[in-house]
Amino acid sequence: MTAVRAPETLTTARLRGARITADDGPFYRAVWQDPAVAATLGGPRTLAQIDAKIDRLLAMWPDRGYGVYTLREGDVACGYAGLAPTDAGGRESVEILYGFAPQVWRRGLATEAAIALVHLALAALRLPEVCGFTWTENLGSRRVLERAGLVYRFDFERADLPHRYYSLSRASS
């Protein structure tokens, strides 16, 4: 657990994020069941899988002192972004994660959120490193990680799919 706790909100120029709550469940179910979103995540998830993931995200805040924010543009929930522990690629780190409803794709919102998360992780929480990884075929997500300053490190397999691993250390930021 980090000694410093993340703030309950995350704000960028266009997004207002608040710590995920159980009331956000319908939004996450809708996003993760959307076929376009599922295609970027390696395929569809069952409602049971989605609900289990929501439960893990809710538990992260008290366990870790950081977690996921539900993002709104104006009053409309449009995405999520946050920090999560990971062992992707065989390395213990903290991952930046993000996802958006397809109707707001290609507007730079994911990059805006990712940049804010890198700052939160490295400057505010003073974590030694932050990482991100994405399915190799997800060119949009690869660009987001690169624009947020993360550097490609290696390829690996996760859930039987090829992924690319990116990271940035506090020392190099």
Side-chain angles (χ1 to χ4, degrees), residues 87-134:
D87 62 358
R91 295 179 62 168
E92 296 287 329
S93 189
V94 174
E95 157 193 20
I96 63 169
L97 51 91
Y98 47 83
F100 286 84
Q103 59 267 31
V104 299
W105 286 2
R106 294 178 194 80
R107 293 185 38 218
L109 296 175
T111 298
E112 195 172 301
I115 289 168
L117 291 170
V118 168
H119 177 77
L120 173 65
L122 299 179
L125 297 178
R126 304 201 44 80
L127 298 173
E129 177 187 81
V130 68
C131 75
F133 56 92
T134 185

Side-chain angles (χ1 to χ4, degrees), residues 1-19:
M1 181 179 348
T2 182
V4 179
R5 298 187 68 77
E8 298 280 319
T9 60
L10 180 74
T11 304
T12 70
R14 296 178 289 170
L15 298 168
R16 182 178 44 84
R19 178 179 162 170

Side-chain angles (χ1 to χ4, degrees), residues 15 26-38 40-41 69-73 76-81 98-110 113:
L15 298 168
F27 168 74
Y28 286 87
R29 287 182 201 97
V31 167
W32 288 331
Q33 286 186 307
D34 184 286
V37 173
T40 68
L41 300 174
Y69 300 93
T70 302
L71 302 175
R72 288 178 170 69
E73 187 176 35
V76 178
C78 63
Y80 63 91
Y98 47 83
F100 286 84
Q103 59 267 31
V104 299
W105 286 2
R106 294 178 194 80
R107 293 185 38 218
L109 296 175

Side-chain angles (χ1 to χ4, degrees), residues 32-56:
W32 288 331
Q33 286 186 307
D34 184 286
V37 173
T40 68
L41 300 174
R45 306 292 192 270
T46 66
L47 278 176
Q49 289 171 318
I50 290 170
D51 286 343
K53 183 169 184 169
I54 292 168
D55 288 344
R56 285 191 304 275

Side-chain angles (χ1 to χ4, degrees), residues 50-66:
I50 290 170
D51 286 343
K53 183 169 184 169
I54 292 168
D55 288 344
R56 285 191 304 275
L57 295 178
L58 290 167
M60 202 177 315
W61 280 94
D63 290 350
R64 297 285 178 165
Y66 56 79

